[in-house]
Amino acid sequence: MRSSFLSESPCDEQHIHGFNPQSWLQVERGKLPKSSYSPSSIESLIKIAEPPVVPLYKPLDYVEVLSRIHEELEQCAPSERPGLYLIQSQVFRGLGEAKLRQRSLHSAWRCATTVHEKIVFGAWLRYEKRGEDIISDVLASCRKCCKEFGPLDVASEMPEGDFEILGSCDIGTSSKVSPAVTFQIRDGKVTCNRCKIASLSIPFWSMLNGPFTESQLDLVDLSENGISLEGMRAVSEFSCTYSLEDLPLETLLEILVFANTFCCDRLKDACDRKLASFVSSRQDAVELMALAFEENAPVLAASCLQVFLQELPDCLNDEHVVSLFLSATEQQQCIMVGHASFLLYCLLSEVAMNIDPRTEATVCLSEKLVQLAVTPTQKQIAFHQLGCIRLLRKEYNEAEHQFSVAFSAGHVYSIAGLARIAGIRGRKGLAYEKLSSVLTSSVPLGWMYMERSLYSEGDKKLGDLDKATELDPTLTYPYMYRAASLMRKKDARLALEEINRLLGFKLALECLELRICLYLALEDYKSAICDIHAILTLSPEYRMLEGRVAASKIGTLLGAHVEQWNTAECWLQLYERWSSVDDIGSLSVIYRMLESDAAKGVLYFRQSLLLLRLNCPEAAMRSLQLARQHAATEHERLVYEGWLLYDTGHCEEALQKAEESISIQRSFEAFFLKAYVLADSGVDPSYSATVISLLEDALKCPSDRLRKGQALNNLGGVYVDCEKLDAAADCYTSALKIRHTRAHQGLARVHFLRNNRDAAYEEMTKLIEKAKNNASAYEKRSEYCEREQTMTDLQIVTQLDPLRVYPYRYRAAVLMDSHKEKEAIAELTRAIAFKADLHLLHLRAAFHEHIGDVPSALRDCRAALSLDPNHQEMLELQKRVNSQEP
């Protein structure tokens, strides 16, 4: 399987060793006997790579770390907050919580106290949101400019220095000395006010008013001081007005050097700010950064830095830019980024790793980060990251040192790197002992058992993998290993069941790839190509078989062995899969349709809806952008722009797009968009009538049954909220008639509100029977049955999708009602270990408060507020718990 961090570079596809997809496909053509499926061919096909040691900050108890950070944020000086938010963002990154990570970075940007921090965090957020660049263009069409993370006016943002005006005009002067002084600049002369020029700096004051020969002269020769007549005239003007006019770059550079030579701080600062306006391109920034370093020009340096960072990640492919970052001394770093060097190199090293973790530039940037790490947490992050890079480069001695330092600093996860190196050196026993020691000295976590399994065999290995899944069901390697083992035992059906356990709740590309291999072994080409299409939808450039062959090539080979459909048949197939809540099957049909001449805008839009259901927001955003790009009409394009705006939090502008589209053409999608945005953002009860009217208008417009079923389902939901149960039931029934399967859930709710729990239960049972992905249906059905059946349904939910938090909360509440406080807290703790969820933390905090464990309650309150700082109930609970603290 391919690993995102430890994958090898793709080989030439003409030299694919081991498995040849064509040989598997030829069986159907009768060209190869089925006996050609030897164990060795299966072995070459199904090869599971070891899980990577990821370069992420993974504290043993993330709840404790988040709580401590939150407490420090409440008490620290404003200048310390950006650094704390950076650490918080690293915790969320390690947890795989992208949105929470972005919010932490946004908080850091918002509370930045220096322009350097603003530049770094603004660039970081821009980099994180680089897939959303199109939003700025769409907002511009609404006459709204998105400037949030755009370039700063560095010169105006930088605080001005407190410059002393030296002396008075009569100090140290004689009545015989002229109040004017003339400076000889080669063949020209500039006459200046002696007092004004002298006030620019101590050296000038001493020269013109002190015990030097020049103090008695009316003419002073400055021809050898590197300044031109124009430059000296500007200096003379500045001495009177303290401002510089617009001057050519060359003249400003002369003045800057001159100001440094004569220690004219105020002049230097003014010149520095003027020079900042000349940085308009990366080439400008490269050339002027060197000058900024040489002449200690912080405003110019910050402006150059901003240009570099605004062009991430591209600028790190420029050797001149990389050289500047790598060669910068401690003093030059201070000139460039003030006291935010660790923040800067944390960003740069992360971007470099994302480009290519093996390059020398990545190593050097990470080494810079290590040098800048001061606090224990910074050392854990920096040394572990460098250790991962060294491990990837097979520099084992250096990697061992980095992991050892990180581990000594408190980063227990780094033991995985140390064990990996021991295993590579043939010392599996030592690797096993290292991980066993961690397991016995701390609270066991899933990754510990998974890592230890790498150094054992047989039942011992499978036992550790089962324990890893029990503690953290989100880890992919245990499922993949078990599935591959079953396949090697020629038990393909059980192998499929095992990998489907994970794919039921986590759409991991490497697991889809393994399932494709299992399908090929079973000669189920129809299912195999379905998964190929899902992979290509999520990652069009994905490569399979350890990166040796493009997924698209295998898709092409498989295409010749499955039934081809015309456009009408494709729509029928899509309707069938959509109705059975088969999201991956629906993606496959849409992928096929996109390869034809069908209307691509509509299809990309449907694709984006499926990807959102599958919790793939980045891929969904990409599909929505493609829908906009391929829109057949202006009113269709406006609808897709509206969804783009809505999905990125711009509700007002999304409504504007919907209304523009309706003004051009009354269409189902425009009315539906407007209704959806209003229903989601409106708190005024009067909005319900408007939403109902809009959905009714949508249903009057032409559309297919898939979308009309969704509109009827949404309309039913609004009627339920308005307590119009008969109208709601009619909507849900109409939706079911056109096979909108999810309407069973709405109809069940109507039955329940009519005090008919049995009918509600039966309705949800119908949904469970029809839906391929039915964890949510079991969860909803649990609300309509007795406690024993509820517990059974919720146990099934946890087996199907362990990331759904309601079952844990319900079971914990039942235990608490039975006065089993420890068991109740343990049930929540089990889920919190692998799922950072506010509701779980909130309930556990309440349980801790109930049993009088104030410190634990306060810890959970603070951690929960790290997830949502404005959660009102959580704030109230924290206030109540705080009042109980001694």
Side-chain angles (χ1 to χ4, degrees):
M1 296 299 104
R2 189 185 74 165
S3 163
S4 59
F5 190 65
L6 294 177
S7 59
E8 297 297 327
S9 299
C11 302
D12 186 339
E13 290 185 12
Q14 300 301 318
H15 299 87
I16 299 172
H17 304 293
F19 170 66
N20 177 7
Q22 191 66 37
S23 67
W24 285 73
L25 300 178
Q26 285 174 339
V27 173
E28 188 177 293
R29 298 172 179 169
K31 294 183 180 179
L32 289 175
K34 295 198 176 185
S35 60
S36 66
Y37 296 142
S38 65
S40 61
S41 67
I42 293 176
E43 189 73 26
S44 66
L45 174 63
I46 303 173
K47 186 176 180 182
I48 309 299
E50 291 183 345
V53 180
V54 291
L56 304 175
Y57 177 46
K58 296 174 79 69
L60 269 183
D61 186 350
Y62 76 86
V63 173
E64 180 63 39
V65 174
L66 288 176
S67 173
R68 188 176 66 247
I69 292 171
H70 187 81
E71 184 179 13
E72 290 177 21
L73 283 166
E74 290 178 325
Q75 300 171 357
C76 71
S79 61
E80 297 173 5
R81 287 176 185 159
L84 286 169
Y85 278 121
L86 172 65
I87 301 302
Q88 188 186 76
S89 78
Q90 293 292 324
V91 175
F92 289 137
R93 183 183 177 215
L95 291 169
E97 297 287 349
K99 287 186 177 179
L100 292 176
R101 166 178 163 79
Q102 284 188 16
R103 204 202 55 223
S104 293
L105 290 172
H106 194 278
S107 297
W109 174 83
R110 195 175 57 249
C111 71
T113 57
T114 69
V115 67
H116 301 108
E117 291 170 348
K118 281 275 187 187
I119 288 171
V120 172
F121 285 118
W124 208 326
L125 284 161
R126 185 182 177 91
Y127 172 73
E128 289 283 320
K129 294 173 175 283
R130 60 195 180 280
E132 299 178 13
D133 291 344
I134 192 173
I135 302 301
S136 298
D137 297 334
V138 178
L139 280 172
S141 68
C142 299
R143 296 185 175 87
K144 182 176 179 181
C145 187
C146 184
K147 296 181 179 178
E148 191 172 34
F149 309 121
L152 299 173
D153 182 352
V154 176
S156 64
E157 293 274 347
M158 281 280 228
E160 293 190 9
D162 185 15
F163 303 109
E164 181 183 1
I165 298 177
L166 299 172
S168 61
C169 292
D170 59 351
I171 295 177
T173 62
S174 166
S175 59
K176 296 180 180 179
V177 177
S178 170
V181 61
T182 300
F183 293 103
Q184 180 82 40
I185 310 293
R186 289 175 286 280
D187 295 334
K189 295 178 182 179
V190 178
T191 300
C192 307
N193 182 302
R194 180 184 294 269
C195 180
K196 297 289 188 182
I197 286 289
S199 69
L200 288 178
S201 69
I202 291 175
F204 264 130
W205 184 265
S206 300
M207 180 176 74
L208 297 177
N209 293 313
F212 295 97
T213 304
E214 288 87 351
S215 66
Q216 304 299 316
L217 299 176
D218 293 333
L219 182 65
V220 178
D221 192 350
L222 291 182
S223 299
E224 302 303 318
N225 288 89
I227 193 163
S228 64
L229 275 171
E230 184 182 11
M232 196 61 212
R233 289 191 188 103
V235 171
S236 176
E237 180 69 20
F238 180 84
S239 70
C240 298
T241 64
Y242 295 119
S243 66
L244 285 172
E245 299 297 324
D246 292 335
L247 297 166
L249 174 62
E250 293 75 14
T251 304
L252 286 169
L253 294 176
E254 289 175 9
I255 296 171
L256 180 64
V257 175
F258 181 84
N260 263 333
T261 302
F262 288 95
C263 304
C264 304
D265 292 339
R266 190 165 191 164
L267 174 62
K268 174 190 169 183
D269 180 73
C271 191
D272 190 8
R273 292 172 190 276
K274 281 287 184 182
L275 282 167
S277 65
F278 284 86
V279 187
S280 58
S281 69
R282 190 194 305 173
Q283 185 59 40
D284 292 338
V286 168
E287 294 171 0
L288 291 173
M289 182 67 92
L291 179 82
F293 285 162
E294 186 177 343
E295 299 298 332
N296 189 9
V299 182
L300 177 59
S303 298
C304 295
L305 175 65
Q306 178 171 244
V307 168
F308 294 149
L309 298 187
Q310 288 283 311
E311 294 188 16
L312 286 174
D314 294 344
C315 75
L316 289 187
N317 293 318
D318 187 325
E319 61 182 18
H320 300 294
V321 175
V322 173
S323 177
L324 279 170
F325 286 133
L326 295 181
S327 63
T329 64
E330 185 177 344
Q331 181 184 2
Q332 289 171 338
Q333 289 169 24
C334 189
I335 294 169
M336 174 172 60
V337 73
H339 299 293
S341 292
F342 184 83
L343 310 181
L344 171 63
Y345 284 92
C346 197
L347 167 61
L348 295 175
S349 60
E350 181 181 319
V351 175
M353 278 194 301
N354 291 341
I355 295 171
D356 186 348
R358 296 177 180 80
T359 64
E360 195 64 29
T362 303
V363 173
C364 294
L365 286 169
S366 293
E367 285 177 336
K368 281 277 191 183
L369 186 66
V370 162
Q371 294 165 13
L372 293 163
V374 176
T375 69
T377 304
Q378 288 177 345
K379 289 180 180 179
Q380 291 176 43
I381 293 169
F383 279 96
H384 177 75
Q385 176 179 289
L386 183 54
C388 290
I389 294 168
R390 294 289 193 189
L391 176 61
L392 185 61
R393 287 162 58 95
K394 301 181 181 179
E395 297 166 354
Y396 300 127
N397 291 335
E398 296 89 340
E400 184 177 32
H401 170 70
Q402 310 299 337
F403 286 133
S404 295
V405 176
F407 183 74
S408 299
H411 195 242
V412 177
Y413 176 65
S414 295
I415 199 71
L418 292 170
R420 201 66 64 90
I421 292 167
I424 289 168
R425 290 170 173 167
R427 304 180 68 186
K428 287 192 172 184
L430 176 61
Y432 190 90
E433 288 173 13
K434 285 179 180 292
L435 288 156
S436 296
S437 175
V438 168
L439 279 164
T440 55
S441 62
S442 60
V443 176
L445 295 172
W447 67 261
M448 298 176 184
Y449 283 102
M450 181 181 73
E451 289 293 328
R452 193 173 73 169
S453 74
L454 302 177
Y455 312 110
S456 59
E457 301 296 337
D459 291 341
K460 203 173 183 181
K461 185 184 189 79
L462 289 172
D464 274 354
L465 289 173
D466 289 344
K467 190 65 177 177
T469 299
E470 178 188 330
L471 293 174
D472 186 352
T474 67
L475 296 170
T476 60
Y477 176 78
Y479 298 92
M480 295 174 69
Y481 182 86
R482 287 189 293 261
S485 296
L486 288 165
M487 192 62 199
R488 292 187 187 101
K489 295 174 184 176
K490 299 186 179 179
D491 199 338
R493 297 296 175 187
L494 281 179
L496 269 177
E497 287 180 15
E498 180 62 31
I499 204 64
N500 284 341
R501 285 174 60 199
L502 180 76
L503 287 170
F505 67 91
K506 183 177 180 180
L507 199 59
L509 294 179
E510 63 270 26
C511 294
L512 279 172
E513 179 181 344
L514 175 58
R515 191 165 72 175
I516 290 166
C517 296
L518 299 179
Y519 282 138
L520 289 174
L522 291 168
E523 302 176 37
D524 184 353
Y525 305 131
K526 182 179 177 182
S527 297
I529 201 168
C530 182
D531 282 354
I532 285 280
H533 291 158
I535 283 179
L536 291 172
T537 299
L538 292 165
S539 179
E541 304 303 319
Y542 190 84
R543 302 182 69 84
M544 296 174 61
L545 305 174
E546 298 180 289
R548 296 194 299 257
V549 59
S552 57
K553 183 171 184 179
I554 295 181
T556 301
L557 293 172
L558 286 170
H561 299 269
V562 295
E563 181 184 356
Q564 302 301 307
W565 301 322
N566 59 34
T567 301
E569 289 169 332
C570 281
W571 277 107
L572 286 172
Q573 292 290 335
L574 180 60
Y575 182 55
E576 183 67 32
R577 283 160 175 73
W578 203 288
S579 298
S580 62
V581 197
D582 178 5
D583 295 333
I584 291 179
S586 299
L587 278 180
S588 177
V589 176
I590 288 176
Y591 188 91
R592 285 203 198 191
M593 295 171 78
L594 284 167
E595 291 182 316
S596 69
D597 294 328
K600 289 184 168 52
V602 172
L603 292 172
Y604 279 122
F605 176 59
R606 299 297 172 85
Q607 190 180 75
S608 73
L609 298 176
L610 288 166
L611 290 167
L612 283 176
R613 284 217 302 248
L614 290 164
N615 194 28
C616 301
E618 292 181 5
M621 177 66 70
R622 185 172 64 243
S623 294
L624 201 46
Q625 291 177 9
L626 287 168
R628 174 183 183 258
Q629 181 181 327
H630 290 88
T633 63
E634 184 182 358
H635 70 82
E636 183 186 340
R637 176 182 58 78
L638 288 166
V639 168
Y640 302 146
E641 289 182 351
W643 283 113
L644 282 166
L645 291 166
Y646 172 77
D647 287 345
T648 50
H650 301 282
C651 293
E652 185 180 335
E653 291 74 20
L655 280 174
Q656 182 181 330
K657 290 292 181 182
E659 287 161 358
E660 284 182 46
S661 181
I662 291 169
S663 70
I664 298 171
Q665 173 74 51
R666 293 170 61 87
S667 69
F668 173 91
E669 292 298 350
F671 281 119
F672 187 89
L673 168 62
K674 187 174 180 181
Y676 195 95
V677 177
L678 277 176
D680 191 47
S681 59
V683 293
D684 189 335
S686 65
Y687 277 17
S688 296
T690 306
V691 171
I692 289 171
S693 175
L694 288 167
L695 287 172
E696 288 174 343
D697 285 339
L699 288 164
K700 293 172 187 174
C701 298
S703 186
D704 59 76
R705 289 181 292 179
L706 295 175
R707 294 299 284 158
K708 291 211 169 185
Q710 183 65 62
L712 285 165
N713 194 59
N714 288 17
L715 184 55
V718 181
Y719 279 133
V720 168
D721 293 340
C722 297
E723 301 182 355
K724 296 179 180 180
L725 299 185
D726 291 341
D730 289 342
C731 286
Y732 291 131
T733 303
S734 297
L736 288 170
K737 286 178 180 177
I738 54 175
R739 297 183 64 189
H740 186 78
T741 310
R742 284 185 173 85
H744 282 297
Q745 182 168 319
L747 194 53
R749 186 182 176 199
V750 171
H751 290 315
F752 179 74
L753 292 172
R754 287 172 170 170
N755 296 316
N756 191 344
R757 291 181 66 182
D758 290 342
Y761 181 88
E762 291 301 321
E763 203 66 46
M764 290 309 302
T765 301
K766 293 176 185 177
L767 176 56
I768 288 168
E769 292 169 349
K770 293 179 181 178
K772 186 169 184 178
N773 302 315
N774 54 19
S776 63
Y778 274 107
E779 182 174 293
K780 197 66 182 176
R781 190 177 74 169
S782 71
E783 299 177 21
Y784 308 133
C785 49
E786 299 302 323
R787 176 172 286 189
E788 186 177 343
Q789 182 61 47
T790 295
M791 295 291 278
T792 300
D793 276 359
L794 292 179
Q795 193 56 45
I796 294 172
V797 173
T798 299
Q799 291 169 3
L800 293 173
D801 184 353
L803 293 178
R804 301 185 79 88
V805 300
Y806 175 72
Y808 302 99
R809 294 168 60 209
Y810 182 89
R811 288 190 291 264
V814 170
L815 288 165
M816 203 68 177
D817 287 344
S818 304
H819 305 290
K820 297 179 180 179
E821 291 87 354
K822 289 184 179 179
E823 292 89 339
I825 291 171
E827 177 68 20
L828 295 172
T829 301
R830 178 163 73 102
I832 289 169
F834 60 85
K835 173 70 173 176
D837 181 80
L838 182 140
H839 302 292
L840 293 172
L841 287 166
H842 186 188
L843 190 56
R844 192 172 74 170
F847 287 179
H848 282 308
E849 182 200 24
H850 178 74
I851 64 174
D853 187 351
V854 173
S856 296
L858 199 54
R859 176 204 61 202
D860 285 351
C861 284
R862 288 169 176 156
L865 288 169
S866 298
L867 306 181
D868 184 356
N870 301 313
H871 192 271
Q872 196 57 42
E873 290 182 26
M874 205 69 245
L875 288 167
E876 290 171 3
L877 178 58
Q878 183 192 34
K879 183 179 179 181
R880 191 168 68 240
V881 173
N882 264 325
S883 68
Q884 301 172 34
E885 194 176 26

